Amino acid sequence: MANNNREIIYIPLEDVESEHCALIVEKGLAEVKGLESHKVELNNRRAAITVSDNEVVGEAVKAIKDLGYGVPTVKKTYPVLGMTCASCAGSAESMAKYTPGVVNAEVNYGTGNLNVEFLPNITSSEQIRKAVQDGGYDLLLEEENKQQETLEAIHAEKFRKLKNKTIWAVILSLPVVIIGMFFMDMPYGNEIMWAFSTPVVLWFGKDFFINAWKQAKHRSANMDTLVALSTGIAYIFSVFNMLFMDFWHQRGLHAHVYFEAAAVIVAFILLGKLLEEKAKGNTSSAIKKLMGLQPKTVIVIEADGTERQKAIEDVNAGDIIMVKPGEKIAVDGMVTSGNSYVDESMLSGEPVPVLKKENEKVFAGTINQKGSFLFKAVKVGKETMLAQIIKMVQDAQGSKAPVQKLVDKIASIFVPVVMSIAVLTFILWFILGGDNGVVQGLLAAVTVLVIACPCALGLATPTAIMVGVGKGAESGILIKDAESLELAKKVNAIVLDKTGTITEGRPEVTGIEWLNSDDATKDILLSLEKQSEHPLAEAVVKNLQGASTTTLTNFQSITGKGAKADHNNETYYVGNKKLLAENKIRIAEQLQKQADEWGKQSKTVIWFANSKQALAVVAISDKIKETSVQAIKEMQDMGIDLYMLTGDNEATAEAIASQTGIKHYKAEVLPQHKADFVKELQAQGKVVAMVGDGINDSTALATADVSIAMGKGSDIAMDVAKMTIISSDLTKIPQAIRLSKQTVATIKQNLFWAFIYNLIGIPIAAGILYPINGFLLNPMIAGAAMALSSVSVVSNSLRLKWKK
């Protein structure tokens, strides 16, 4: 079935258990364009395909996954070394993409990372690295915890070298400019300029030529190609004019040299790169801040009670760690003894320290205040919440926004188009330029090559995304991918789960009315509720913390009604009204009146009685979070329709809706119907955000356009959601929407300036104004403009940091 010259690619399959499943996969593969042949081998649990182009492998894997079957792939992120511009990212990406067995590859120039997904049975990280090396780049294949340190060392070294090169290029270019501008007729002027500009162009600018050659070997071109061509042409042309002056003199023309242009272009472009590297370093400062939160060593208490200092990498789950006042907590764990207030603002964005007592969770990266305590390590290394957050922020900063895909396409054809324009410019000058046509044409072509800047285009989106995601992380808003950051600004309908999202998610006693309060009765109620397993009993126990327990006998739980027990030959009951009615217990008027009032407020009412009369009535409700009302008003002021969904009864839903100011709500909603409701809103053309915290919200979260999970909720909700509010505070949602608006506005500004710069700059460089007012752009000025265009885009992205 396979073509003789095509290699068969085997895609391993998961969950394909029967002929029926195999047929479904066959049908799905039949619809993938570019597949030359395919068959599913059920016994081998794999699909055998032959393709005309490796990109089709990714399409085939996507088709299988869309049908609900699994393909075991490996996802990795590796820093790419040796990239100099945005179109380098494009060529490194295509090198990785065309490696057999690679399902998907994306290189982000802003972060300098390659995100790659591949089939481990066909290829490996090492083979992908070889492919990338062929294109003149390299991958850093170290373990993740060491990767960052190695990468920082490489970047620091690269920055140092670049700084030295730039300083020397500027120093050596200065005399060339002074002679070229003011002392052109001095004796040996040309030779002196040649002597000074040669090291600048051929030594400090040698990387441009080396990289351009590597690109040419693969029939591709990038910004280095433009710089190498422009400075190379200007330099060779000047050397020719200096050595063979008579060639021009015989034709009645003056032989001019352009050493200053060649040298200054190299100096300016190096300076631009230096500023760009510095600014790009600032865009990832959020990650650096997060990484700096983890201490390098900890004090571990051994089994015999001795203290021992351990490196953070050597800490194991189960180790008992000591935290002193002012120290950072190193890993996630559970307090075993002692208590203290802990500043968790770096994770949640909430400024108030939280009290941590025995059996409470503590998280890596948070800062202990005044007390000291011991805690047991539960999650270490990559599993800590801080490590997960860092990974999430890195992935989000490295992901591409939908708008970026279009920009990437433009960047990939940008350099060849510019080279064609430069050639066309030369031809037009040669034909129409009269006596000076050749010289002016060469200069104009050089200027076109110099002024064009694909980097400004390539940096426009990723730098804004990096700053936006980083700023979100600092405020306790975790954004998983660039797409949701771009989409959030369009949200015009938000669906809110009630329990744990609008409310605290844990029932609390809001009032107790006693018939005649005495300590003995309180002790009996506390003892009864302590033995009960009902979730509401916990709220009563918490409320009666001042009371003490007493001995009860014959404890009995009565399903759906409550519980009863004996104390000193008297039976006591706790539960609903039905339980009291069945046992013919009378209720005093004052207690009934209070119970009715609480009922109107849709609170849950619990009765406490002895065998004759009711002794107390207790009101329990799930308290609305302090910030929910303000957040709901803020979102409504932004013109967003809010919908509350709850499994609770109509009365409770209505009470919560009226207290918070929500106009639309639905009560008694089952988990599976939440997703249907989201679909209904989408069918009306709304862009829907779903906010939830539980396992029951996960389907609705997956269905919504933008999904937001509450950080104190279930892990499943956080896995599914594209955004997580760590502190579970609803006021962060309008903040996230504003952040999305600001980020998208910044991307648009960046792209506008990058396009306008190139659209105006290139024709002026070609000499379009010459017939009108005799203006020709000097190649040196073009070099300066190009250097500044990238820097201006990155600086504009950094403005996001200071916005409210």
Side-chain angles (χ1 to χ4, degrees):
M1 197 174 171
N3 300 14
N4 300 334
N5 58 344
R6 299 271 188 232
E7 202 179 333
I8 298 176
I9 289 174
Y10 293 105
I11 300 175
L13 301 173
E14 287 174 341
D15 311 320
V16 178
E17 306 291 349
S18 64
E19 279 296 344
H20 177 64
C21 297
L23 274 173
I24 294 173
V25 175
E26 283 266 6
K27 269 189 192 158
L29 288 173
E31 287 171 26
V32 177
K33 290 188 179 72
L35 268 194
E36 299 198 344
S37 73
H38 64 276
K39 67 167 186 234
V40 175
E41 301 174 358
L42 180 63
N43 295 342
N44 296 330
R45 296 274 179 95
R46 66 185 188 183
I49 61 170
T50 53
V51 293
S52 52
D53 166 347
N54 190 60
E55 278 198 68
V56 182
V57 178
E59 296 298 316
V61 170
K62 187 175 180 296
I64 295 167
K65 285 184 173 176
D66 285 348
L67 293 168
Y69 299 104
V71 176
T73 56
V74 175
K75 286 184 181 175
K76 292 276 186 188
T77 300
Y78 296 120
V80 183
L81 308 175
M83 288 198 295
T84 53
C85 73
S87 39
C88 292
S91 53
E93 185 175 298
S94 56
M95 293 289 169
K97 244 186 197 152
Y98 287 109
T99 310
V102 168
V103 174
N104 189 27
E106 277 188 357
V107 174
N108 185 316
Y109 181 53
T111 56
N113 283 342
L114 159 72
N115 291 334
V116 65
E117 183 180 358
F118 58 89
L119 296 164
N121 58 318
I122 296 173
T123 190
S124 65
S125 301
E126 201 51 63
Q127 280 165 289
I128 297 166
R129 181 189 189 175
K130 279 199 183 89
V132 172
Q133 282 172 335
D134 283 348
Y137 311 104
D138 199 359
L139 294 183
L140 183 65
L141 302 183
E142 289 219 340
E143 281 176 31
E144 268 175 52
N145 53 357
K146 298 209 179 98
Q147 203 179 63
Q148 199 59 31
E149 287 169 25
T150 315
L151 193 60
E152 279 182 10
I154 291 171
H155 280 320
E157 180 60 17
K158 182 181 163 192
F159 189 75
R160 190 188 62 77
K161 282 184 177 163
L162 187 59
K163 196 171 168 183
N164 286 343
K165 266 190 208 170
T166 308
I167 292 167
W168 278 107
V170 170
I171 290 170
L172 292 175
S173 300
L174 274 174
V176 187
V177 174
I178 293 164
I179 295 170
M181 294 284 200
F182 309 110
F183 305 105
M184 277 160 64
D185 302 324
M186 69 181 273
Y188 299 111
N190 288 353
E191 284 79 359
I192 295 168
M193 287 198 290
W194 184 33
F196 275 108
S197 61
T198 301
V200 176
V201 176
L202 301 183
W203 182 249
F204 298 122
K206 73 173 190 289
D207 287 347
F208 297 123
F209 295 97
I210 294 167
N211 293 337
W213 171 244
K214 282 179 182 170
Q215 291 296 315
K217 282 197 296 191
H218 286 278
R219 293 201 182 89
S220 65
N222 64 6
M223 201 192 92
D224 293 324
T225 315
L226 299 183
V227 178
L229 275 175
S230 54
T231 52
I233 291 168
Y235 181 78
I236 292 165
F237 184 56
S238 303
V239 173
F240 176 84
N241 288 2
M242 183 182 74
L243 300 178
F244 305 103
M245 278 187 177
D246 294 346
F247 175 82
W248 298 107
H249 290 163
Q250 285 160 10
R251 287 162 176 73
L253 295 171
H254 179 65
H256 196 77
V257 295
Y258 298 96
F259 287 123
E260 80 278 12
V264 170
I265 289 166
V266 171
F268 268 137
I269 289 171
L270 286 173
L271 182 66
K273 280 193 169 301
L274 188 73
L275 294 171
E276 186 191 305
E277 281 291 323
K278 197 163 178 58
K280 264 167 68 185
N282 289 337
T283 58
S284 58
S285 62
I287 286 273
K288 288 198 186 96
K289 270 188 201 161
L290 286 170
M291 290 192 156
L293 292 175
Q294 201 169 31
K296 296 275 181 273
T297 59
V298 294
I299 295 170
V300 174
I301 308 292
E302 299 288 0
D304 58 2
T306 54
E307 293 180 12
R308 188 161 76 87
Q309 202 162 32
K310 253 190 188 183
I312 184 79
E313 299 84 62
D314 304 331
V315 173
N316 300 312
D319 282 354
I320 302 290
I321 297 168
M322 181 174 177
V323 185
K324 294 177 180 169
E327 283 186 346
K328 285 178 185 161
I329 291 163
V331 294
D332 292 5
M334 191 82 89
V335 178
T336 53
S337 71
N339 58 54
S340 176
Y341 280 92
V342 173
D343 175 2
E344 294 189 341
S345 62
M346 57 289 302
L347 295 185
S348 64
E350 299 299 309
V352 184
V354 186
L355 177 63
K356 298 288 179 181
K357 305 194 290 284
E358 254 178 72
N359 296 329
E360 292 203 352
K361 289 179 184 172
V362 289
F363 301 101
T366 55
I367 300 168
N368 180 26
Q369 303 281 293
K370 296 194 173 74
S372 64
F373 59 88
L374 299 179
F375 76 95
K376 183 165 116 186
V378 176
K379 288 182 177 172
V380 298
K382 283 188 205 169
E383 291 179 348
T384 65
M385 182 147 153
L386 179 65
Q388 303 275 4
I389 289 175
I390 291 172
K391 173 121 183 58
M392 223 189 250
V393 174
Q394 272 176 328
D395 289 348
Q397 288 187 338
S399 66
K400 290 189 177 181
V403 66
Q404 173 79 6
K405 307 249 181 353
L406 170 72
V407 178
D408 282 352
K409 276 187 187 148
I410 295 165
S412 66
I413 57 163
F414 185 88
V415 176
V417 167
V418 169
M419 286 161 72
S420 311
I421 294 171
V423 172
L424 185 67
T425 301
F426 177 71
I427 294 169
L428 287 174
W429 272 99
F430 183 71
I431 298 167
L432 309 171
D435 293 342
N436 280 347
V438 174
V439 179
Q440 299 289 31
L442 263 176
L443 272 184
V446 165
T447 312
V448 166
L449 292 170
V450 170
I451 202 162
C453 183
C455 284
L457 278 178
L459 289 166
T461 313
T463 51
I465 293 286
M466 282 176 80
V467 177
V469 169
K471 191 175 175 187
E474 283 171 15
S475 316
I477 304 164
L478 274 191
I479 298 161
K480 258 196 203 167
D481 63 8
E483 195 171 346
S484 52
L485 184 61
E486 197 181 316
L487 245 185
K489 73 179 270 287
K490 296 181 184 164
V491 166
N492 51 18
I494 294 180
V495 177
L496 298 164
D497 167 52
K498 177 189 80 81
T499 311
T501 302
I502 297 173
T503 64
E504 294 283 1
R506 47 175 195 271
E508 283 185 8
V509 171
T510 53
I512 296 186
E513 180 78 21
W514 294 92
L515 187 60
N516 3 359
S517 169
D518 66 32
D519 288 345
T521 343
K522 281 184 186 171
D523 293 349
I524 295 166
L525 175 57
L526 174 68
S527 309
L528 240 176
E529 290 289 40
K530 260 206 166 152
Q531 290 191 42
S532 169
E533 285 165 8
H534 198 282
L536 297 178
E538 207 179 310
V540 179
V541 171
K542 207 171 170 188
N543 185 269
L544 295 173
Q545 271 177 342
S548 51
T549 48
T550 180
T551 348
L552 300 177
T553 53
N554 302 332
F555 176 84
Q556 196 184 338
S557 181
I558 306 157
T559 311
K561 293 170 191 166
K564 65 175 188 173
D566 297 344
H567 177 72
N568 289 348
N569 302 324
E570 173 64 276
T571 306
Y572 289 89
Y573 299 87
V574 65
N576 55 20
K577 203 170 176 184
K578 224 186 246 175
L579 185 66
L580 272 64
E582 276 176 14
N583 291 287
K584 300 184 177 60
I585 295 165
R586 69 173 186 277
I587 297 169
E589 197 181 329
Q590 74 178 78
L591 294 185
Q592 188 58 61
K593 209 167 150 191
Q594 183 62 66
D596 292 344
E597 201 173 300
W598 282 335
K600 279 181 202 150
Q601 294 167 17
S602 75
K603 292 181 176 176
T604 306
V605 174
I606 291 178
W607 295 89
F608 172 53
N610 58 21
S611 55
K612 298 175 200 67
Q613 60 176 0
L615 304 173
V617 63
V618 183
I620 293 180
S621 74
D622 184 4
K623 240 174 52 182
I624 294 171
K625 288 178 189 167
E626 284 174 18
T627 51
S628 291
V629 180
Q630 178 203 337
I632 286 162
K633 185 182 179 306
E634 245 181 271
M635 288 186 269
Q636 285 170 336
D637 290 348
M638 290 167 101
I640 296 169
D641 295 332
L642 292 184
Y643 302 84
M644 178 182 80
L645 301 185
T646 176
D648 276 349
N649 58 39
E650 184 70 28
T652 306
E654 190 186 350
I656 297 283
S658 67
Q659 283 169 34
T660 53
I662 291 179
K663 297 182 184 75
H664 317 280
Y665 65 88
K666 275 187 126 177
E668 296 174 20
V669 180
L670 295 169
Q672 60 269 35
H673 296 155
K674 287 184 180 177
D676 298 340
F677 183 69
V678 170
K679 281 183 194 152
E680 266 172 52
L681 292 176
Q682 286 169 328
Q684 294 166 25
K686 293 188 189 309
V687 179
V688 184
M690 168 75 198
V691 187
D693 76 321
I695 295 171
N696 59 354
D697 301 318
S698 50
T699 331
L701 285 168
T703 312
D705 299 293
V706 175
S707 45
I708 304 169
M710 291 289 159
K712 291 183 178 159
S714 75
D715 289 352
I716 292 181
M718 280 155 66
D719 277 352
V720 173
K722 291 291 165 72
M723 287 190 188
T724 301
I725 308 292
I726 297 179
S727 63
S728 296
D729 175 355
L730 278 183
T731 53
K732 299 282 184 192
I733 294 173
Q735 267 186 40
I737 293 170
R738 280 194 292 271
L739 180 65
S740 165
K741 285 181 176 164
Q742 289 169 352
T743 308
V744 173
T746 305
I747 291 174
K748 284 181 177 164
Q749 289 158 11
N750 286 351
L751 287 173
F752 173 79
W753 287 115
F755 276 114
I756 284 292
Y757 163 82
N758 284 304
L759 283 175
I760 295 172
I762 292 172
I764 289 176
I768 203 165
L769 296 177
Y770 187 72
I772 303 161
N773 59 9
F775 177 78
L776 276 176
L777 188 64
N778 186 318
M780 292 195 291
I781 308 294
M786 196 239 103
L788 282 172
S789 65
S790 302
V791 179
S792 62
V793 163
V794 182
S795 308
N796 188 44
S797 295
L798 286 171
R799 277 179 49 236
L800 255 180
K801 278 190 175 185
W802 323 124
K803 286 192 176 165
K804 280 275 180 282

